Amino acid sequence: MDRWDKIFITIILALLLAFAMQARGTSLVVQGQDGCQPYWQQWAMNATARLPEASWIVTPSAATIANTSAETLYAVSHGYYGQMHQQCGDSLSASDLGRQQFGFAFYAMCDGMCSTARDTFADAAVDSIGYCDMAEAYCLDCWYGHALPFQDQVFQGLQQGLEPGAAYDAAMNSHPQCLPCIRYYSNPVVEVPPPPKENIVIATIIPILIMRGN
């Protein structure tokens, strides 16, 4: 193997590393309040443990969420498809988010996915999973016995390389009690955010450093 073969292989490996970093991405876990106290602790803990490079924040400002560079958003709070309620802080409107802001979002809000129209939370991600009518009587079985293991199975599926829709289907097969209460939506309009600039820099610099070392 000559010098140029080594350089070529090094470049390919660096590009693969950059793409792997992009695929993994980062996550923002948002925990809301109930009665001005942090609530749904187990839900937020599970999302933080399962999602890639997750940052967990409680009752953030609307600007913090709207300006995040995270690839994945998880939100557990009171709210509906147009607004996440923060009883002792800023409420976040779905219209505050960009249409191509997230690759994947999970909205653990009672009515977070009851609509997928323009300027709803579903419109802010390429793929979304979320609740609808979770506070209704027919969803009590799902909420108390299946909602948390359902999301855990979704996140495990994503870790194993499943697409969000396939991860949703697998979790729903295990927890059919949640079929009327948890929805999946794939947005045909929103595009996946471009790779971060730092990934391109890494892919460029690594081969140069190796060449200098030789």
Side-chain angles (χ1 to χ4, degrees), residues 43 74 104-114 116 128-135 138-155 164-165 167-169 171-173 175-185:
W43 276 254
Y74 174 85
F104 173 68
F106 193 115
Y107 301 112
M109 299 181 288
C110 285
D111 297 311
M113 285 278 289
C114 287
T116 58
S128 303
I129 295 174
Y131 300 166
C132 181
D133 291 342
M134 189 61 85
Y138 61 83
C139 286
L140 292 180
D141 187 21
C142 173
W143 173 247
Y144 286 108
H146 300 275
L148 184 56
F150 176 93
Q151 81 168 37
D152 184 64
Q153 187 170 344
V154 167
F155 297 153
Y168 170 88
D169 289 340
M172 194 59 74
N173 285 336
H175 304 278
Q177 299 85 348
C178 291
L179 184 59
C181 317
I182 304 180
R183 299 179 177 182
Y184 165 74
Y185 178 68

